[in-house]
Amino acid sequence: MKFFVASALILVGSCSTLRHSEKIDNLKEGISYDDTKIVEQYLNTIIVDELRLHVEEVASEKYFGRKTGEEGHNQICNYIRDFYKSHDIKAPLTHPNYYQKVPKNALPNDLNESQNIIAYIEGSEFPDEYIYISAHSDHEGVINGQIYPGADDNGSGTAAVLEMAEAFKKAVLDGYRPKRSIVFLHVTAEEVGLHGSRYYTENPIFPIENTITALNIDMIGRVDDRHVENENYIYVIGADRISTELHFIVQEANENFNDKLQLDYKYNDISDHNRYYYRSDHYNFAVKGVPVIFFFNGEHADYTQPTDTPDKINYELLAKRTKLIFSTAWYLANSNKRLNPEII
Ligand SMILES: [Zn+2]
């Protein structure tokens, strides 16, 4: 009953409100998954054990905390690149070894040159439109003799990107090539100031104006203090700031598949003092006008500590969150209409 009263008031009260709500309704109606069964088939290839292996590798002590430009970081970049090679997921034509060099002069003074890693699956119908899925590859290195393994930050995001790339590739092999191109981007030098993503967006390999969305992942394997009672959550940041439609697409993706998560918008509040929207690599895409989503689990006691180790990752939850991002990307890549990059 209350609902109807409220609707009637809106009808009488304001025409512009009505027009806006009508626009929203129309927009929501336009977001539908025709091929839920197909998406589910590939969601099922996102596997806890494979995510665990990737996180354990990335956070291994042999990489000494993956500080930008150091040997350990270069080695993990090789691991990521070799994954794409071995799965026959292609490098850009202009960068056949998957690496975009980030020169010393684009980095803080004390760092060696480094590299972003780019692999992609070309779209079948709209190959010149791009969906990015990104995660930073670097971490803090060794501080006061202690290795900072960065299992959550950002072993979890790195593992998620690799596992999604594998799932999209399996779909291609079965005849379900995405309509739009999907770019898997592992940026360097995030921890020292988002330099790898800044360099990339200033020197993009694929045209920024044809970039539909950037889905960025930075820490999705843990649970913060606000959610100890209900672990099935993910913070969604930025989705409605550039494109209203994107905000509803991630919701629809969440509704359509079995492992529903609570989409927590606390840190999307523009007045939130943590300012996470400005603090990971999606922001450099947003600066260029690209609609973005930042997927994040919030901070925890091991954040940027030597105790951010693989045994503390919740791999079941990491898999659920990876699936949400995969289904969001699937929709963006396969919808008949290009994402509307506007606020309505
Ligand atoms: Zn991070």
Side-chain angles (χ1 to χ4, degrees):
M1 188 53 107
K2 263 187 176 166
F3 174 78
F4 287 107
V5 171
S7 305
L9 284 176
I10 290 167
L11 276 169
V12 176
S14 159
C15 275
S16 68
T17 306
L18 178 64
R19 277 202 297 275
H20 184 252
S21 68
E22 268 182 351
K23 275 187 190 171
I24 295 284
D25 287 346
N26 290 343
L27 187 153
K28 283 188 186 170
E29 259 172 43
I31 300 167
S32 66
Y33 275 83
D34 298 332
D35 44 9
T36 307
K37 282 275 174 296
I38 300 169
V39 187
E40 273 172 358
Q41 192 179 327
Y42 297 100
L43 285 171
N44 291 336
T45 72
I46 293 168
I47 294 169
V48 166
D49 287 345
E50 291 182 357
L51 289 164
R52 182 186 288 112
L53 285 175
H54 288 311
V55 172
E56 286 175 352
E57 182 68 25
V58 173
S60 164
E61 294 201 341
K62 69 186 175 195
Y63 300 122
F64 295 98
R66 310 184 301 287
K67 183 162 177 167
T68 297
E70 294 193 355
E71 185 56 25
H73 182 243
N74 291 336
Q75 286 172 354
I76 201 63
C77 288
N78 288 342
Y79 170 83
I80 293 167
R81 179 186 63 185
D82 292 349
F83 175 89
Y84 289 110
K85 271 189 188 169
S86 68
H87 287 77
D88 195 26
I89 299 169
K90 302 241 176 312
L93 288 173
T94 52
H95 294 68
N97 71 348
Y98 297 85
Y99 281 176
Q100 178 191 47
K101 190 158 81 165
V102 179
K104 222 173 147 31
N105 65 12
L107 294 167
N109 278 338
D110 56 329
L111 298 176
N112 300 324
E113 71 170 32
S114 186
Q115 57 279 323
N116 295 322
I117 307 160
I118 304 103
Y120 84 118
I121 291 176
E122 190 171 38
S124 57
E125 286 184 33
F126 313 106
D128 298 331
E129 297 180 9
Y130 303 92
I131 316 297
Y132 281 74
I133 307 178
S134 67
H136 71 83
S137 59
D138 63 302
H139 192 54
E140 305 276 348
V142 178
I143 302 171
N144 295 330
Q146 283 189 295
I147 296 172
Y148 283 57
D152 193 27
D153 187 7
N154 193 15
S156 63
T158 306
V161 177
L162 297 179
E163 199 62 4
M164 282 188 269
E166 190 177 3
F168 275 114
K169 179 66 189 190
K170 280 182 180 143
V172 169
L173 294 175
D174 293 344
Y176 300 114
R177 181 173 286 277
K179 290 178 184 168
R180 295 181 180 78
S181 295
I182 303 180
V183 183
F184 307 101
L185 173 65
H186 300 260
V187 290
T188 185
E190 192 274 350
E191 302 283 10
V192 288
L194 317 185
H195 295 286
S197 54
R198 184 179 308 119
Y199 187 81
Y200 184 83
T201 52
E202 286 174 3
N203 303 274
I205 288 175
F206 306 108
I208 281 286
E209 59 274 20
N210 285 340
T211 299
I212 306 300
T213 313
L215 305 176
N216 182 49
I217 309 166
D218 194 352
M219 300 168 60
I220 59 164
R222 294 286 299 272
V223 173
D224 72 357
D225 288 345
R226 294 185 63 243
H227 294 88
V228 282
E229 299 292 315
N230 173 21
E231 298 182 341
N232 287 314
Y233 76 98
I234 183 82
Y235 291 108
V236 175
I237 303 172
D240 63 350
R241 298 213 191 179
I242 296 173
S243 160
T244 306
E245 193 174 352
L246 185 58
H247 171 73
F248 289 112
I249 285 171
V250 65
Q251 288 184 351
E252 184 71 11
N254 191 42
E255 287 301 313
N256 265 281
F257 300 98
N258 290 332
D259 295 325
K260 283 190 195 27
L261 295 167
Q262 179 213 345
L263 305 185
D264 192 326
Y265 297 103
K266 176 180 167 63
Y267 297 135
N268 190 43
D269 187 332
I270 47 172
S271 62
D272 185 77
H273 67 94
N274 291 290
R275 293 170 57 84
Y276 290 120
Y277 181 67
Y278 305 93
R279 288 173 52 186
S280 189
D281 298 298
H282 56 281
Y283 180 65
N284 284 316
F285 282 89
V287 165
K288 301 286 183 187
V290 175
V292 299
I293 306 179
F294 173 26
F295 295 97
F296 177 51
N297 54 218
E299 293 184 25
H300 46 77
D302 302 307
Y303 170 63
T304 60
Q305 296 297 322
T307 49
D308 180 7
T309 49
D311 55 297
K312 292 179 184 154
I313 298 290
N314 181 333
Y315 290 97
E316 295 284 344
L317 186 53
L318 173 55
K320 286 182 193 176
R321 290 164 170 168
T322 303
K323 288 176 182 183
L324 170 69
I325 302 162
F326 180 82
S327 55
T328 303
W330 183 288
Y331 180 86
L332 289 161
N334 286 296
S335 65
N336 292 321
K337 246 176 58 240
R338 180 178 171 147
L339 178 80
N340 178 357
E342 289 170 10
I343 303 287
I344 66 169

